[in-house]
Amino acid sequence: MEQTPKANRAHIGFFGRCNAGKSTLINMLTDQPVSLVSEVAGTTTDPVSKSMEILPLGPVVITDTAGIDDTTELGTLRIEKTEEVVKKINLAVYVLRTDEEPTTDDIHWLGLLKQNNVPIALFINEINAEIDKENNKVNNIENKTDASTYVETHKGLSELVTVIGSADFTSKAKRLELLDLLGGLTPLDVEGDQTLLQGLVEEGDTIILVCPIDSAAPKGRLILPQVQTIREILDYKGLALVCQTEELPAMINSLKYPPKMVICDSQAFDRVDELTPDTISLTSFSILMARFKGKLQDLVAGVEAIKNLKPGSKVLISEGCTHRRQCDDIGTVKIPNLLKKQGHTDLQLEFTSGGAFPKDVSQYDLIIHCGACMLTRREVLRRIECAVVQGTPIVNYGVLIAALHGILERAISPFIDEIKG
């Protein structure tokens, strides 16, 4: 579980007003002091994430967010951060207290989650408040401190949520029950049983992986898509052979039977294409990742826009992770140089990385995105949808590089039926 890549986990966001009990609930569910708990409003500032396992969901990432009614000096910025979480999660837990009435803010945020098609678990913090006997009230809720009557009183809540659970969040007595409720939900846009090599590898198949070791390669290890691909070949009981670019011919010639497929780093596409016989399928880790995230069709469709680039065209190059830029960094150096080499000069290039991605992409003539191995499928689909809805073509590194080298047809041939379908 600990080795499951973060991008392949279901992401669960915890939302609610300040002091609703979000942090206390997370600490109770994880059985760890993940989030700082205090009666001071605004204790949680930036989103705080923690990996754990919730069966039958499996490995997940849970994220604690700032209160949606944060009125501190930085409250607006914190709420913006919370809005970003909505776009990335697969499940939501919304927290209310039985001693407080739902507010318009609560209804707004529940509606926002529902609009984004995120399944919502409404967890109600059963506060042991003192009853005002003279007025026969408990903090404005007449004699109603349990969750069931709370929801009955506010019928609109049940229309916005998927499941409802309740507990005294300071007690672990209902921990397993609440975990079972979460585990029974179907996350939005999670890879599930989809794999990088689904339908491509069978038992006994030999797959050669070409992994160049250059100055941009991380020292002492392979990058995530390479590791994931090796693991999946082993899962399918195939044979995974790894080499660098110039060793490819010797490896192919050493085999009694040709490999079923060669998978390479996109940066080596042109050379690997030359070294791989036409009878052997060829693709890249980046293209496999695009298929894995679910929108290879749209990324291939964006290729046409490359032909229309002219001096002054505005291009966004977006990385899904953050890392120290190398002198031959693929996003900021190699791709711009490749575009220039292909005659696309004087482009207006802009760059984003990590969680940053513009809401308005209509200003761009083309978006070039990385393979997105560090992003959830939900986030990748959102970015692609954002581009498609605003009429902005989008490609990813592998698709772009294959197209510029004139080998896109070969690179996507293993998936041609899926793309046409």
Side-chain angles (χ1 to χ4, degrees):
M1 186 276 291
E2 290 297 332
Q3 300 304 316
T4 302
K6 192 173 181 179
N8 294 1
R9 298 168 180 261
H11 285 238
I12 307 174
F14 284 67
F15 303 86
R17 280 177 279 155
C18 294
N19 288 338
K22 303 184 298 297
S23 299
T24 303
L25 175 61
I26 288 175
N27 291 346
M28 186 258 277
L29 292 177
T30 60
D31 200 22
Q32 299 177 41
V34 174
S35 297
L36 182 62
V37 176
S38 170
E39 293 181 359
V40 178
T43 299
T44 302
T45 54
D46 287 344
V48 177
S49 297
K50 171 68 178 178
S51 298
M52 67 174 296
E53 187 164 19
I54 298 178
L55 297 175
L57 282 179
V60 302
V61 174
I62 60 175
T63 300
D64 192 6
T65 65
I68 53 95
D69 58 341
D70 191 334
T71 58
T72 62
E73 186 176 351
L74 296 177
T76 300
L77 294 176
R78 291 170 180 171
I79 290 174
E80 288 178 0
K81 288 283 189 181
T82 301
E83 289 175 346
E84 291 178 7
V85 173
V86 173
K87 302 170 186 176
K88 301 174 183 179
I89 58 172
N90 312 107
L91 292 172
V93 173
Y94 201 91
V95 179
L96 290 172
R97 295 164 54 121
T98 52
D99 64 337
E100 294 179 347
E101 296 280 347
T103 66
T104 54
D105 284 336
D106 291 319
I107 301 304
H108 166 76
W109 280 85
L110 284 166
L112 181 63
L113 290 163
K114 191 173 181 65
Q115 289 170 18
N116 281 270
N117 300 313
V118 181
I120 306 168
L122 177 63
F123 282 1
I124 301 176
N125 191 356
E126 293 187 331
I127 302 297
N128 295 319
E130 293 183 1
I131 298 176
D132 183 347
K133 296 182 179 179
E134 182 178 348
N135 297 315
N136 200 28
K137 291 182 178 180
V138 179
N139 289 353
N140 298 323
I141 302 177
E142 298 182 0
N143 289 333
K144 295 171 181 175
T145 58
D146 64 282
S148 59
T149 51
Y150 183 89
V151 174
E152 288 176 9
T153 304
H154 308 287
K155 297 185 182 299
L157 293 177
S158 59
E159 298 172 3
L160 293 169
V161 303
T162 308
V163 299
I164 298 172
S166 63
D168 173 0
F169 293 171
T170 61
S171 169
K172 297 181 181 179
K174 295 192 72 173
R175 176 175 180 268
L176 294 180
E177 180 181 326
L178 295 181
L179 286 173
D180 285 343
L181 278 174
L182 277 180
L185 294 178
T186 301
L188 174 67
D189 295 331
V190 174
E191 285 85 353
D193 295 329
Q194 174 73 23
T195 67
L196 277 171
L197 300 173
Q198 187 165 332
L200 301 176
V201 182
E202 297 178 353
E203 184 174 347
D205 287 342
T206 298
I207 310 294
I208 296 180
L209 310 180
V210 181
C211 305
I213 305 300
D214 55 21
S215 61
K219 187 176 181 179
R221 62 182 176 86
L222 298 175
I223 61 175
L224 181 59
Q226 296 166 352
V227 173
Q228 286 183 271
T229 304
I230 292 172
R231 172 56 194 267
E232 286 198 11
I233 293 171
L234 297 177
D235 286 340
Y236 283 113
K237 301 187 185 304
L239 304 176
L241 303 179
V242 183
C243 67
Q244 295 196 61
T245 305
E246 298 306 322
E247 285 67 50
L248 178 59
M251 179 166 283
I252 292 176
N253 292 333
S254 70
L255 300 175
K256 183 176 182 180
Y257 301 103
K260 185 173 184 179
M261 178 179 290
V262 171
I263 303 171
C264 69
D265 189 291
S266 296
Q267 300 177 64
F269 240 149
D270 55 338
R271 184 63 177 141
V272 174
D273 175 59
E274 295 173 359
L275 298 175
T276 304
D278 293 340
T279 54
I280 300 173
S281 292
L282 171 66
T283 193
S284 76
F285 296 106
S286 181
I287 291 177
L288 283 174
M289 191 61 65
R291 174 183 181 249
F292 181 47
K293 300 297 180 179
K295 282 289 184 177
L296 181 57
Q297 298 94 325
D298 288 335
L299 297 172
V300 170
V303 166
E304 286 299 313
I306 301 173
K307 305 174 185 176
N308 300 323
L309 293 177
K310 54 185 182 295
S313 290
K314 202 168 184 179
V315 177
L316 173 66
I317 300 180
S318 185
E319 285 269 5
C321 62
T322 55
H323 58 266
R324 182 174 177 269
R325 303 299 182 190
Q326 302 285 333
C327 59
D328 55 354
D329 180 69
I330 183 171
T332 57
V333 178
K334 288 186 176 180
I335 285 180
N337 287 342
L338 184 56
L339 287 167
K340 288 180 182 179
K341 187 177 180 180
Q342 297 292 325
H344 302 295
T345 58
D346 299 320
L347 299 174
Q348 296 184 55
L349 301 180
E350 293 185 10
F351 303 90
T352 63
S353 62
F357 191 80
K359 293 181 180 179
D360 180 8
V361 296
S362 61
Q363 60 183 303
Y364 300 107
D365 298 293
L366 178 66
I367 298 172
I368 303 172
H369 207 288
C370 72
C373 62
M374 299 303 292
L375 298 178
T376 64
R377 184 169 186 261
R378 165 110 163 106
E379 174 65 5
V380 175
L381 290 174
R382 183 190 72 80
R383 293 185 179 195
I384 294 175
E385 182 182 11
C386 178
V388 171
V389 168
Q390 296 182 42
T392 302
I394 182 170
V395 298
N396 85 338
Y397 288 4
V399 170
L400 172 85
I401 294 171
L404 291 178
H405 285 306
I407 58 174
L408 180 61
E409 185 176 345
R410 183 182 189 186
I412 63 174
S413 61
F415 328 106
I416 197 66
D417 290 339
E418 298 173 20
I419 293 172
K420 289 182 178 179

